[in-house]
Amino acid sequence: MTSAGETPVRVGVFGLLGSGNLGNDGSLEAVLGYLRAEHPEAVVDALCGGPEAVTARFGIPATRLHWNRGEYRTASRAGAIAAKGLGKLVDAFRTAAWVRRHDVVIVPGMGVLEATLPLRPWGFPYALFLLCASGRLLRTRVALVGVGAAAIGNRPTRTLVRWSARLAAYRSYRDAPSRDAMRAMGVDTARDAVHPDLAFSLPTPPAGAPSGPPGLVCVGVMDFHGGNDDRARAEEIHRRYLDGTIRFVRALVEDGRPVRLLTGDACDAPVVAAILGAVDSPLVTASEAASLADLMKETAAADTVVATRYHNLICALKVGTPTLALGYAAKSDALMAQMGLDAYCHPAREVDADRLLDQFRALEKQSAELRQTLSERNLVITQQLAQHFAALTAALFPTTAHPHTHAHAYREAP
């Protein structure tokens, strides 16, 4: 606790938070839970995509990430293009002014060092670079905590991501492939930790929560169009993904199985609508989950889960429900391997409904054994995250942990 006369530590959280992505907000919730448990004296606020939503849900002050409110809309008119250009300049000063007010800034989880989904370099990668550069210049510790990373083909995006990582004071990753990707990009990762995703630290729904109808299958869907390097084939990839998912849901319904459609971002709603329109059956319903806690309750009620979004998978695995991943990136494969379910992965880019159904049936035959495996893996993950949070305290809050061992947590760029 802060002693009399001592200034409370000022902590900022940064990212595309409050913008409709349940995984991002779940990562923030996990970090806020850690801060409230271990550093209740900390004064916390956010620089984020949806400040109103963050303040309403989490009760912390929040500032809009971008000066230009049309930052993530495609600019075509001259006025809109000029506003975007001006916004980049204004954001440099706004970000520095915000960083200056803090002792520590935490980027909580999220795939901030990857481009596995469509991404423009002058959007979030530029914003992250401004944050990390400001931290270095102003001697504010910027921590990338439990983040995801992946190889990036686009050179401007890769350069911004590489320098963001180099300028950060602290880095840890949610899986080994993320650390490997940053090392391949030229970042010295020798002191960077790997630990389970932050969302695994969120509370699990209490045992005895209501179960769903017998045989319930949760199918987590996504507005999937491939990654940053797939823009030319985006519609083809989306059509194949949607058609394969519809065929799979239809086959489940023909077997009499109730299906619950899950999402992880507001942008997934059209996919749900397309499936409901194509499979006209009372057996198919759509969840209105608004948080990872809601998703955990949904997946806990199911016999089996088939999901695309990374944090849909985490919610299902955390509550111990046998899960099949429709994966679109290495992070999904790494997560499934970590949980002992690496045999149950299917590529989202090339959904084959018949093969998916075969994998689903094989998964269900092993249900009892897999539930036991997941229970054991979750116990290990709980211990690993406790160790990580202790290391995070030592690195970012040295006066409250080991004041002599970690007196200089700031890391010079390699």
Side-chain angles (χ1 to χ4, degrees):
M1 297 296 289
T2 306
S3 59
E6 192 175 320
T7 304
V9 64
R10 300 161 301 173
V11 180
V13 289
F14 176 95
L16 292 177
L17 309 164
S19 301
N21 184 285
L22 302 188
N24 290 1
D25 289 357
S27 298
L28 171 60
E29 183 180 356
V31 163
L32 291 178
Y34 152 72
L35 290 172
R36 285 165 180 160
E38 301 298 329
H39 306 282
E41 77 285 356
V43 176
V44 184
D45 73 303
L47 184 63
C48 60
E52 298 86 359
V54 166
T55 297
R57 180 175 171 191
F58 299 108
I60 60 174
T63 303
R64 186 171 297 280
L65 180 59
H66 299 290
W67 172 79
N68 176 25
R69 288 175 177 258
E71 175 59 39
Y72 292 106
R73 292 195 293 270
T74 300
S76 54
R77 298 198 318 273
I81 294 170
K84 278 202 170 189
L86 177 60
K88 301 304 173 194
L89 182 62
V90 173
D91 284 345
F93 291 97
R94 289 176 73 251
T95 302
W98 182 80
V99 168
R100 185 189 292 276
R101 299 199 299 269
H102 299 86
D103 301 299
V104 174
V105 173
I106 295 175
V107 181
M110 306 178 286
V112 297
L113 302 178
E114 64 182 46
T116 52
L117 298 176
L119 185 70
R120 299 292 188 191
W122 306 115
F124 188 77
Y126 175 73
L128 183 66
F129 171 75
L130 290 180
L131 174 80
C132 296
S134 297
R136 174 58 62 94
L137 289 169
L138 300 169
R139 309 300 294 174
T140 295
R141 292 187 295 275
V142 173
L144 309 180
V145 180
V147 298
I152 297 172
N154 179 275
R155 181 174 292 179
T157 302
R158 186 171 64 245
T159 299
L160 287 166
V161 163
R162 179 172 61 242
W163 276 103
S164 295
R166 283 178 170 174
L167 292 168
Y170 176 93
R171 296 181 294 265
S172 66
Y173 306 98
R174 62 190 180 191
D175 52 44
S178 292
R179 183 169 62 183
D180 294 344
M182 294 315 298
R183 183 184 298 123
M185 269 191 254
V187 176
D188 180 0
T189 61
R191 289 182 287 172
D192 296 356
V194 171
H195 55 80
D197 191 89
L198 295 172
F200 277 107
S201 71
L202 293 173
T204 304
S211 60
L216 176 65
V217 181
C218 282
V219 177
V221 301
M222 178 178 178
D223 185 27
F224 180 63
H225 292 77
N228 219 39
D229 298 329
D230 298 317
R231 289 179 183 273
R233 298 176 51 234
E235 285 310 311
E236 173 196 340
I237 289 171
H238 180 66
R239 175 47 55 189
R240 182 164 186 172
Y241 169 79
L242 184 58
D243 288 349
T245 305
I246 287 171
R247 284 190 60 204
F248 176 68
V249 170
R250 189 176 286 132
L252 292 176
V253 168
E254 287 171 356
D255 284 347
R257 302 292 293 268
V259 175
R260 186 78 160 158
L261 300 177
L262 309 179
T263 62
D265 194 294
C267 70
D268 299 331
V271 178
V272 171
I275 294 171
L276 291 174
V279 188
D280 186 13
S281 167
L283 287 174
V284 185
T285 56
S287 166
E288 295 183 0
S291 67
L292 294 193
D294 290 345
L295 283 175
M296 280 190 261
K297 290 174 187 172
E298 295 274 12
T299 54
D303 285 10
T304 310
V305 174
V306 179
T308 305
R309 281 198 178 272
Y310 182 73
H311 282 94
N312 276 198
L313 295 173
I314 285 179
C315 288
L317 297 168
K318 180 171 167 56
V319 299
T321 303
T323 301
L324 199 162
L326 270 176
Y328 62 88
K331 61 186 177 184
S332 301
D333 295 341
L335 173 64
M336 295 295 282
Q338 178 186 19
M339 302 303 288
L341 277 77
D342 42 324
Y344 303 103
C345 297
H346 192 97
R349 277 179 180 76
E350 299 175 1
V351 178
D352 179 329
D354 294 331
R355 190 166 74 84
L356 184 60
L357 204 55
D358 288 342
Q359 287 181 288
F360 172 80
R361 288 168 177 155
L363 175 73
E364 291 212 310
K365 285 179 183 175
Q366 298 295 318
S367 180
E369 297 92 327
L370 293 175
R371 285 181 180 272
Q372 180 60 36
T373 297
L374 289 173
S375 176
E376 294 166 358
R377 299 292 170 102
N378 275 307
L379 286 175
V380 173
I381 282 174
T382 298
Q383 296 168 351
Q384 291 172 330
L385 278 172
Q387 293 167 0
H388 168 64
F389 284 131
L392 190 62
T393 287
L396 299 185
F397 306 96
T399 56
T400 63
H402 307 286
H404 302 297
T405 308
H406 294 273
H408 299 288
Y410 206 95
R411 173 181 296 152
E412 292 302 320

